[in-house]
Amino acid sequence: MHTINHTATTILPAPAHIVWQHLFTELNGTSTWWHPHNTFRPGPTPPDHLGGATHVTVHTNGVNKPGPKIHFTATTTHITPGTHYAASHTGHFHGHTTIHLTPHDDTHTHLAYTFTATPHGWPHLLPISKIHANHAAATNTALTNLHRQLTSH
């Protein structure tokens, strides 16, 4: 099986604690800046707690549009509030995600995001280059949306 390895970094126009708050609002399913591609639903223990979970649905053609959906659960394996989140994945993707936040200056935060996963089930039949390209595009859209959301507050 082939593995997706994707890293994205950006400077966001808000202090780390504000970016952290927006990140976990999204992972708890109460925000939508990761649209139009992903939706999130928290498990019984929220994702900002060790062992917490987020059920992720990847809408391959966009949210509220017909088409196949990829499902996986991200379980929190490490959390340092305000700076570091790590999760392992099970479901259609097996692997892990890490997010690191570091202050860039007093009003900006550097976000580093890494996603490493192997497709399982029907998604493993798709060309890995297509999955990687779609993941990269969706992540870039999400980070652009987050940037826009942070500048509108």
Side-chain angles (χ1 to χ4, degrees):
M1 291 208 182
H2 298 286
T3 300
I4 303 162
N5 290 301
H6 180 246
T7 299
T9 63
T10 190
I11 304 293
L12 295 167
H17 72 280
I18 300 294
V19 174
W20 186 262
Q21 179 183 24
H22 281 263
L23 174 65
F24 281 94
T25 299
E26 185 73 16
L27 294 179
N28 277 301
T30 56
S31 182
T32 57
W33 54 263
W34 211 291
H35 280 194
H37 304 283
N38 293 4
T39 55
F40 303 92
R41 186 174 45 85
T45 302
D48 57 341
H49 292 78
L50 192 61
T54 299
H55 304 288
V56 181
T57 301
V58 178
H59 304 262
T60 58
N61 292 328
V63 173
N64 297 323
K65 294 183 180 176
K69 294 173 180 37
I70 298 170
H71 301 276
F72 66 96
T73 299
T75 302
T76 304
T77 57
H78 179 86
I79 192 119
T80 303
T83 62
H84 181 77
Y85 164 80
S88 64
H89 304 153
T90 57
H92 284 140
F93 287 131
H94 293 196
H96 64 274
T97 293
T98 60
I99 299 173
H100 293 279
L101 301 179
T102 53
H104 181 71
D105 59 28
D106 290 342
T107 61
H108 291 79
T109 300
H110 179 262
L111 180 146
Y113 166 89
T114 302
F115 179 85
T116 303
T118 304
H120 285 263
W122 69 265
H124 93 276
L125 300 172
L126 300 172
I128 198 71
S129 61
K130 181 176 180 173
I131 295 173
H132 186 274
N134 288 345
H135 183 272
T139 299
N140 290 337
T141 297
L143 294 176
T144 298
N145 290 344
L146 176 57
H147 190 280
R148 193 174 300 122
Q149 184 176 20
L150 290 167
T151 58
S152 70
H153 284 98

